[in-house]
Amino acid sequence: MSEEIEKTKCLIIGSGPAGYTAAIYAARADLKPIIYQGLQPGGQLTITTEVDNFPGYPNGVHGVAMMEDLKKQAERFGTDVRWGVVSKVDFSAKPYEITIDETKRILADSVIIATGATAKWLGLESEKKYNGFGVSACALCDGFFYKGQDIAIVGGGDTAAEEATYLAKLCKKVYMIVRRDELRASKAMQHKVANTPNIEMLWNHTTKEIIGDKAVNGVIVQNTKTGIETKIDITGFFVAIGHKPNSEVFKDQLELDKNGYIITKPNSTKTNIDGVFAAGDVQDHLYRQAVTAAGSGCMAAIEAERYLSTI
Ligand code: NDP
C-alpha cells in the first residue's frame, strides 16, 4: 500500500525566531504553513538564559519562554507546528519533495529554510556544565552581564576579534586565548585588537578546564610551547571558534558558500531555486541576532506569498 503524500503551499523548516516569524506572517497570509521544528525545537535561544536585546521585553525574557511565546503566536493564526527533522529534500522538480524523519514525504509549493546554525564548542565537560552560568557563545547576547568584570574569550578569527573588542568596552579585562601565535582574523581586526589596551593576548594557549562553583570563577590555560599551566581569575568565558550552519541536508540542492551558509540574493531571502527561501542564521554569518533572524523570517514569508501568487 503506497502512503499518501501530503501537500502544502508553504513548508517551514526550523523553529527559531526566523522560522516562527515566517510562520506568523505566512499563516496571516492564509498560506496555512506547516513548520517542522527540527532537532532543537525553539532553536539556539533555548540554550541561553536571559534575552535582554529582543525589542518588546523591557525586563528581558528567558530564551525558552520567548520561543514558547513565538510558537503560540504562530499557532494562534493556524500554523501547524510539528515535531520532526528533515532528512532529505528534492528541489529538482516542482512541487518540491521533502522527507521528514526518513519516512514521511511532503510536497510543498514553497519552502522556507530556517534551520539556523550551531555554535562550535571546545568539547570540555566543564564548558557544558557552566553553559549559561558564565560560559557563553554569544558576546553580543551575554556580554552585558559581565560589565566591569574580567573575562576570557577563546578563538582567533574575525568573530573572536570582534567580540573581544566589543567585550573590552564593557569589561575590565579581556583575556584572548589563541591556540597559535597569530590570529586568523582580518588585518583590520588584528589592528583593532592590538590597539585595545585591556585585551591581553594569550598566544599559543589552549583551554584545559573552566572552573567554578555555582558559576565560573576561573579558567586553566596551557602554553602549548612550554606546557606550563596557568589559572586565570575570570567570571565569564566566551567561546568564539566559529559556527556551523545547519545546511548539510541542502548541500547538493542549493548554492552554499565555502563555509556552508546558504547563499541568498542581495536584499532578499531567495535562494538559487525558485520558491525556496532561506532566513536567519543558516544564511547569515554576520549578524546572527534573534531580531535579525526574525526580520529575515518575515521577509521570507512575504517573498513566499508573492511567489505563490505567480504560480
Ligand atoms: P573562523 O573559522 O574564521 O575562525 C575560528 C577561530 O577559532 C580560528 O582562529 C581557529 O583557530 C579557532 N579555533 C577553532 N577551533 C578551535 C579550538 N578547538 N580551540 C581553539 N581555537 C579554535 O570563524 P569565525 O566565526 O571567526 O568566522 C567565520 C567567518 O565569518 C569567517 O569567514 C569570517 O571572516 C567571517 N566573519 C566576518 C565578520 C565581518 O566581516 N565583520 C565578522 C565575523 C565573522 P585557527 O586559526 O588556529 O584555525
Side-chain angles (χ1 to χ4, degrees):
M1 195 179 75
S2 72
E3 182 209 350
E4 198 185 323
I5 303 182
E6 193 178 356
K7 293 196 176 115
T8 181
K9 276 194 263 190
C10 180
L11 182 75
I12 301 171
I13 310 170
S15 58
Y20 279 136
T21 306
I24 293 165
Y25 275 77
R28 286 171 59 86
D30 238 3
L31 304 184
K32 301 190 174 30
I34 297 173
I35 183 166
Y36 276 95
Q37 296 183 91
L39 268 185
Q40 190 172 50
Q44 290 187 81
L45 281 183
T46 60
I47 53 163
T48 62
T49 46
E50 208 64 12
V51 179
D52 267 341
N53 55 8
F54 199 87
Y57 292 101
N59 301 315
V61 59
H62 197 283
V64 174
M66 182 178 136
M67 294 319 299
E68 261 310 303
D69 282 349
L70 278 175
K71 176 169 178 264
K72 283 188 204 141
Q73 195 174 350
E75 284 174 328
R76 181 154 72 94
F77 301 108
T79 304
D80 184 347
V81 181
R82 301 180 183 176
W83 294 96
V85 177
V86 169
S87 44
K88 193 174 161 211
V89 295
D90 183 353
F91 296 151
S92 64
K94 298 178 187 181
Y96 304 123
E97 185 173 320
I98 294 92
T99 310
I100 315 292
D101 295 329
E102 282 163 25
T103 48
K104 182 170 175 59
R105 287 152 70 206
I106 295 194
L107 291 177
D109 292 324
S110 69
V111 179
I112 296 175
I113 299 168
T115 45
T118 309
K120 290 185 193 160
W121 296 97
L122 295 170
L124 299 169
E125 263 313 306
S126 51
E127 183 184 46
K128 266 193 226 145
K129 180 173 169 193
Y130 293 115
N131 196 342
F133 299 93
V135 171
S136 165
C138 180
L140 272 181
C141 326
D142 298 329
F144 180 80
F145 301 117
Y146 302 94
K147 232 176 174 169
Q149 301 172 34
D150 291 352
I151 62 98
I153 183 162
V154 57
D158 277 319
T159 303
E162 236 178 52
E163 296 197 343
T165 51
Y166 172 79
L167 290 165
K169 288 187 203 136
L170 299 170
C171 303
K172 192 152 96 229
K173 176 142 197 182
V174 174
Y175 295 94
M176 195 164 176
I177 306 167
V178 181
R179 66 180 175 184
R180 292 187 292 138
D181 59 0
E182 61 175 357
L183 294 178
R184 179 181 290 276
S186 58
K187 284 280 178 281
M189 280 316 297
Q190 293 189 24
H191 291 314
K192 218 166 157 188
V193 168
N195 291 323
T196 307
N198 59 336
I199 297 180
E200 181 175 332
M201 301 305 294
L202 298 173
W203 300 110
N204 300 307
H205 275 77
T206 54
T207 308
K208 293 296 284 184
E209 213 59 72
I210 302 154
I211 47 179
D213 38 57
K214 283 203 180 80
V216 170
N217 59 29
V219 62
I220 296 169
V221 291
Q222 183 176 39
N223 186 315
T224 53
K225 300 267 181 212
T226 62
I228 293 172
E229 292 190 6
T230 316
K231 177 180 175 261
I232 304 167
D233 294 331
I234 49 150
T235 49
F237 183 85
F238 289 85
V239 181
I241 60 171
H243 279 76
K244 197 178 172 303
N246 302 321
S247 60
E248 188 65 22
V249 74
F250 310 108
K251 71 172 193 282
D252 301 325
Q253 305 276 325
L254 294 178
E255 266 174 40
L256 309 181
D257 73 11
K258 67 177 187 332
N259 295 315
Y261 288 90
I262 297 176
I263 297 173
T264 49
K265 308 236 153 82
N267 301 320
S268 154
T269 61
K270 291 177 187 163
T271 67
N272 60 309
I273 302 280
D274 236 16
V276 178
F277 305 88
D281 288 12
V282 73
Q283 53 86 51
D284 166 28
H285 64 83
L286 281 181
Y287 303 105
R288 293 198 296 249
Q289 299 302 297
V291 67
T292 49
S296 69
C298 158
M299 286 166 65
I302 292 173
E303 290 183 306
E305 187 194 359
R306 287 185 186 151
Y307 166 79
L308 289 168
S309 69
T310 65
I311 60 168

